Amino acid sequence: MPDGDMIKLYSKRILALSADIPHEARLDAPQATAMKRSPLCGSTVTVDLNLKDGKIVEYGQDVKACALGQASAAISGKAIIGSTEADIAKARDQLRAMLKSDGLVPDAPFEGFEVLQPAKDYKNRHASILLTLEATLAAIESAKAGTR
């Protein structure tokens, strides 16, 4: 990757987000936990959550990912409390479309993903960017099924 492209991809804003991930502590007694891994780069995200009335009321995440995956976790973490499964699925689908097919930036409260638009040209980074939302959806499914 040429230096100019690297600078554009790893902007100061992305690096700042990756250094300030909300809900970085795991929950002591989660209703559900899920881990997702990107086979291409090895990034992993583990999510703990508690639901009440179908909304996320407590959330913790352990993020071992590149700066783009960390930035994605930060953006998700800021918007996740109060979100429903449908909200998360919509954000994931919109983010995927933004990255893969020039789709629009995800709707509020997930509009912060716009900072990751430069990553659309780097397909090998897409899985890492989607990990947090994928892990969150898996944890919600686990909670609904009554499994941890």
Side-chain angles (χ1 to χ4, degrees):
M1 176 181 316
D3 287 346
D5 289 344
M6 183 72 78
I7 290 168
K8 181 173 79 171
L9 186 59
Y10 292 101
S11 69
K12 288 181 184 177
R13 190 165 163 214
I14 287 173
L15 294 176
L17 283 167
S18 68
D20 188 25
I21 301 172
H23 309 290
E24 213 168 6
R26 302 279 307 271
L27 299 182
D28 290 332
Q31 187 177 0
T33 298
M35 189 274 289
K36 290 290 183 175
R37 180 180 179 277
S38 170
L40 190 58
C41 67
S43 292
T44 62
V45 173
T46 303
V47 165
D48 298 324
L49 57 75
N50 290 317
L51 298 172
K52 183 176 182 183
D53 300 325
K55 294 183 179 184
I56 297 172
V57 293
E58 290 184 289
Y59 186 83
Q61 57 184 340
D62 180 30
V63 181
K64 297 195 178 2
C66 65
L68 296 172
Q70 291 174 15
S72 179
I75 295 161
S76 295
K78 289 177 182 174
I80 210 83
I81 299 296
S83 294
T84 65
E85 180 179 21
D87 297 333
I88 305 298
K90 181 179 178 184
R92 185 228 19 228
D93 294 346
Q94 289 177 325
L95 178 58
R96 182 181 291 131
M98 182 188 87
L99 292 170
K100 297 183 183 288
S101 57
D102 287 326
L104 299 175
V105 171
D107 294 337
F110 295 96
E111 71 275 9
F113 281 114
E114 61 82 21
V115 72
L116 295 169
Q117 284 181 318
K120 67 183 176 185
D121 296 330
Y122 303 95
K123 293 181 184 352
N124 61 335
R125 303 287 193 222
H126 294 179
S128 180
I129 292 168
L130 291 163
L131 277 179
T132 296
L133 295 175
E134 295 284 354
T136 301
L137 287 168
I140 290 171
E141 283 299 315
S142 180
K144 287 175 24 183
T147 61
R148 290 188 88 216

